[in-house]
């Protein structure tokens, strides 16, 4: 089911495929190593610290701070109709980092490094296939969870 | 460890080459390097090819190159390190000689980037980052460097005019390089007026895809002397390091930790410091990349790259002249060829062959070749006889 993740998917098979199901259910998940307790975002199956192979998904609140961002005008295949779009890199309060599109509750023109944001799970409503992602929104933005 | 030097170098002009296959480009560079070295092919014991395979219709490029160069059954293989594939090939050849396995090895960097249709290029473009966590959001190569630029501007006050000043310098020197793709001077105003690619980067902040090949012939010290070579340029400092594929796992977004690590290794091995570098070719795939390179290589302090170009520190007459061949920006960037072409340029500088863009009396030079967004970095210090 990991092909659900992202507008274009290059990566259908992974040990953390359950991440996409959780995202569809409105939950942003990192991973916790069953052996040493290391928490990772993005989630990973194989622990880089203790080499443990067992992990459990752990839910993230998704609040964070913008580290950097860009507005992409020249887009790759599959994104042509969406230009320009703004991508931000966010340091999550709970550790780890993600990259996501700027969502509708933020003023893209006023986006700034250091700005507080909320990461919100999203379904591409306009697409027939199940496609999920997340967007950067204003702090306090809420959403439904399954 | 045996000292290894460059006894010959040659390259094609960079640009659109719709008249030639990639192996025909490789032959042009090979012929020029043999002529420059004044040796016959029989002394060359092995070949290493640096290239990025997904741009070519021909699969397994080293096979077709070795055949076309008429070098079978001598050994050959490919090295891949994205835009640093050429330097990976150089390092492999250096290791073959330093290990005592071979005495003379040819390094060929080549790339034909205009073979692909626009749709194929756009599809490839979508897979430059970590395809699991980043590419699904439409990230691009300029997009990553744009995010470095934004962060650099935020932390250090670097400006778009300073980025444009790098492009102006590289076009200035590129105009004097007969091998360069773009041979026209530009102005800051012209660069600033160009179309946005990925804010804050616009067209003139980005290098251009190109076709081209470059070749250097390496020899161990004893073999070089036995061949009667007396104007050898020595590979005295060889540095190489890696970093995360994903921007999500980078410790620093205002420079390349792999470049700093590779530079430290190269300086230590050559017994020099940044102050000793009289001429350098650095990886300016984007203007911000050259500003970060000034800092990562120690040509100026952290965050001072913008001021360094404002003070013309990277022009001839400045503390560290950089990219006097036009850099990737004006010379063009056939990705597999670039690292080898940088090496050719520094060899020519150290031999005093660069005419109007020569650094007078240069004896120690440097190459800095980055793969991707710093996943790989090779920094080499070269010294003339
Ligand atoms: Zn662990």
């Amino acid at each position: 089911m990991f092909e659900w993740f992202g507008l274009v998917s290059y990566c259908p098979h992974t040990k953390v495929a359950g991440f996409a199901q959780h995202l569809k259910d409105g939950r942003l998940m990192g991973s916790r190593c069953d052996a040493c307790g290391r928490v990772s975002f993005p989630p990973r199956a194989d622990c880089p610290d203790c080499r443990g192979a067992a992990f459990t998904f752990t839910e993230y609140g998704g609040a964070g701070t913008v580290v950097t961002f860009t507005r992409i005008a020249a887009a790759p295949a599959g994104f042509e109709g969406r230009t320009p779009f703004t991508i931000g890199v966010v340091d999550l309060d709970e550790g780890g980092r993600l990259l996501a599109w700027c969502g509708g509750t933020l003023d893209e023109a006023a986006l700034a490094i250091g700005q507080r944001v909320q990461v919100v799970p999203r379904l591409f409503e306009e697409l027939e296939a199940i496609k999920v992602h997340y967007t950067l929104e204003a702090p306090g933005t809420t959403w439904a969870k399954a | 460890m045996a000292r290894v030097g460059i006894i010959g170098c040659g390259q094609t002009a960079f640009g659109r080459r719709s008249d030639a296959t990639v192996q025909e480009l490789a032959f042009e560079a090979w012929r020029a390097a043999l002529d420059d070295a004044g040796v016959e092919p029989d002394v060359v014991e092995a070949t290493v090819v640096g290239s990025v395979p997904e741009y070519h219709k021909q699969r397994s490029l080293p096979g077709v190159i070795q055949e076309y160069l008429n070098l079978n059954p001598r050994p050959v293989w490919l090295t891949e390190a994205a835009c640093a594939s050429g330097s990976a090939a150089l390092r492999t050849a250096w290791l073959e000689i330093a290990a005592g396995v071979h005495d003379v090895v040819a390094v060929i960097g080549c790339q034909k980037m205009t073979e692909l249709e626009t749709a194929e290029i756009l599809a490839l473009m979508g897979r430059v980052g970590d395809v699991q966590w980043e590419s699904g959001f439409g990230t691009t190569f300029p997009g990553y460097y744009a995010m470095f630029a934004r962060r650099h501007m935020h932390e250090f006050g670097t400006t778009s005019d300073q980025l444009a000043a790098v492009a102006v310098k590289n076009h200035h020197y590129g105009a004097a390089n007969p091998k360069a793709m773009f041979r026209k001077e530009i102005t800051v105003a012209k660069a600033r007026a160009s179309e946005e690619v990925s804010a804050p980067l616009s067209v003139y902040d980005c290098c251009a895809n190109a076709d081209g090949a470059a070749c250097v012939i390496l020899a161990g010290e004893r073999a070089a002397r036995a061949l009667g070579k007396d104007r050898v340029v020595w590979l005295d400092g060889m540095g190489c390091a890696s970093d995360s594929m994903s921007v999500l796992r980078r410790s620093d977004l205002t420079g390349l930790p792999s470049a700093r690590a590779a530079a430290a290794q190269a300086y230590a091995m050559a017994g020099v410091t940044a102050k000793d570098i009289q001429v350098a070719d650095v990886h300016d795939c984007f203007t911000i990349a050259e500003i970060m390179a000034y800092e990562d290589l120690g040509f100026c302090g952290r965050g001072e790259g913008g001021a360094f170009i404002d003070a013309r520190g990277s022009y001839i007459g400045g503390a560290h002249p950089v990219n006097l061949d036009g850099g990737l920006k004006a010379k063009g960037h056939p990705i597999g060829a670039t690292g080898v072409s940088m090496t050719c340029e520094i060899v020519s500088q150290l031999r005093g062959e660069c005419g109007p863009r020569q650094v007078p009396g240069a004896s120690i030079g440097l190459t800095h070749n980055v793969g991707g967004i710093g996943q790989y970095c090779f920094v080499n210090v070269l010294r003339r006889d």
Side-chain angles (χ1 to χ4, degrees):
Chain A
M1 76 196 61
F2 201 74
E3 69 270 19
W4 293 355
F5 181 60
L7 180 59
V8 176
S9 169
Y10 301 103
C11 187
H13 307 131
T14 165
K15 294 177 181 178
V16 295
F19 175 85
Q21 176 70 56
H22 284 297
L23 202 59
K24 181 167 171 287
D25 291 343
R27 297 178 197 280
L28 184 68
M29 294 295 201
S31 62
R32 180 186 301 275
C33 171
D34 288 352
C36 76
R38 178 196 157 108
V39 173
S40 301
F41 194 97
R44 51 177 296 155
D46 304 294
C47 182
D49 286 348
C50 77
R51 304 189 299 285
F55 74 96
T56 305
F57 282 115
T58 176
E59 187 166 354
Y60 269 58
T65 304
V66 174
V67 175
T68 187
F69 62 95
T70 182
R71 179 178 59 242
I72 292 186
F79 296 86
E80 301 89 342
R82 295 174 182 263
T83 55
F85 53 88
T86 295
I87 289 173
V89 171
V90 169
D91 272 343
L92 298 167
D93 291 354
E94 297 143 290
R97 188 179 269 181
L98 59 67
L99 180 150
W101 286 329
C102 200
T105 61
L106 293 180
D107 176 5
E108 289 193 20
L111 193 65
I113 289 173
Q115 184 173 339
R116 297 287 297 160
V117 293
Q118 172 66 46
V119 179
V120 175
R122 296 285 178 198
L123 254 173
F124 284 99
E125 307 282 355
E126 73 276 26
L127 301 179
E128 203 172 317
I130 300 173
K131 294 299 282 179
V132 294
H133 66 121
Y134 31 66
T135 54
L136 309 182
E137 305 289 352
T141 303
T142 57
W143 67 98
K145 292 185 187 184
Chain B
M1 199 190 305
R3 199 179 191 199
V4 179
I6 295 161
I7 61 170
C9 57
Q11 73 163 84
T12 69
F14 286 177
R16 180 176 272 278
R17 286 295 303 271
S18 303
D19 62 314
T21 65
V22 64
Q23 63 268 33
E24 288 167 351
L25 295 178
F27 202 103
E28 289 180 24
W30 160 246
R31 179 193 285 125
L34 284 175
D35 289 349
D36 180 60
V39 298
E40 289 301 310
D42 60 331
V43 307
V44 178
E45 297 165 24
T47 315
V48 185
V49 175
S51 194
V52 176
E54 56 262 32
Y55 284 91
H56 301 128
K57 303 282 195 222
Q58 175 68 57
R59 293 182 63 188
S60 203
L61 198 58
V64 75
I65 288 179
Q66 195 77 338
E67 178 199 316
Y68 196 69
L69 267 47
N70 197 29
L71 292 175
N72 298 131
R74 285 168 258 184
V76 66
W77 58 80
L78 179 76
T79 58
E80 197 272 346
C83 317
S85 295
S87 289
L90 180 77
R91 186 174 176 91
T92 304
W94 167 69
L95 289 167
E96 288 183 285
I97 296 171
V101 175
H102 294 300
D103 290 325
V104 181
V105 179
V107 178
I108 296 191
C110 55
Q111 204 75 52
K112 189 131 187 283
M113 302 185 73
T114 63
E115 261 184 15
L116 296 185
E117 308 293 332
T118 304
E120 292 174 301
I121 288 176
L122 290 176
L124 263 188
M125 197 175 133
R127 295 192 282 124
V128 300
D130 176 328
V131 300
Q132 185 172 10
W133 298 108
E134 296 169 3
S135 301
F137 292 91
T139 56
T140 63
F141 196 38
Y144 288 107
Y145 274 95
M147 291 194 285
F148 290 154
R150 179 88 67 192
R151 188 79 207 177
H152 205 279
M153 290 171 162
H154 173 76
E155 286 192 30
F156 306 122
T158 307
T159 65
S160 290
D161 276 1
Q162 290 171 331
L163 299 186
V166 171
V168 168
K169 171 183 70 72
N170 292 351
H171 277 265
H172 170 69
Y173 288 118
N177 180 1
K179 305 286 191 196
M181 183 171 189
F182 301 114
R183 302 200 52 202
K184 275 209 305 237
E185 303 257 1
I186 61 164
T187 61
V188 168
K190 178 173 179 156
R192 288 297 308 275
S194 66
E195 203 179 332
E196 180 179 298
V197 173
S198 189
L201 303 182
S202 59
V203 168
Y204 274 93
D205 289 303
C206 309
C207 69
N209 289 355
D211 304 327
C215 175
V216 294
I217 297 173
L218 268 50
E221 184 161 25
R222 202 170 343 146
R225 299 307 183 205
L227 288 164
K229 301 301 158 200
D230 57 3
R231 48 167 207 163
V232 180
V233 171
W234 301 100
L235 295 169
D236 275 358
M238 302 291 284
C240 174
S242 69
D243 203 346
S244 67
M245 185 73 194
S246 172
V247 73
L248 304 181
R249 287 178 284 276
R250 281 298 167 85
S251 57
D252 179 7
L253 297 174
T254 59
L256 301 179
S258 58
R260 296 198 283 276
Q265 292 168 27
Y267 290 153
M269 184 175 162
V272 302
T273 68
K275 282 194 184 61
D276 299 313
I277 304 302
Q278 296 162 306
V279 58
D281 243 42
V282 311
H283 200 91
D284 60 322
C285 47
F286 301 94
T287 49
I288 183 64
E290 180 163 324
I291 285 188
M292 295 194 305
Y294 299 153
E295 301 172 13
D296 290 336
L297 294 168
F299 294 172
C300 62
R302 292 300 298 279
E304 295 170 1
F308 188 73
I309 182 68
D310 278 346
R312 299 173 71 88
S314 49
Y315 278 80
I316 293 174
H320 300 283
V322 169
N323 288 344
L324 307 182
D325 55 358
L328 280 57
K329 179 74 197 74
K331 189 172 61 170
H333 183 28
I335 49 181
T338 285
V340 183
S341 172
M342 288 175 164
T343 309
C344 292
E345 166 67 11
I346 296 303
V347 167
S348 300
Q349 284 284 346
L350 299 185
R351 290 183 189 159
E353 299 170 345
C354 291
R357 43 187 197 83
Q358 174 68 43
V359 175
S363 63
I364 299 177
L366 174 147
T367 61
H368 158 280
N369 188 195
V370 176
I373 59 168
Q375 288 94 352
Y376 321 95
C377 188
F378 296 81
V379 175
N380 300 332
V381 172
L382 290 76
R383 192 173 354 218
R384 71 161 183 235
D385 248 340

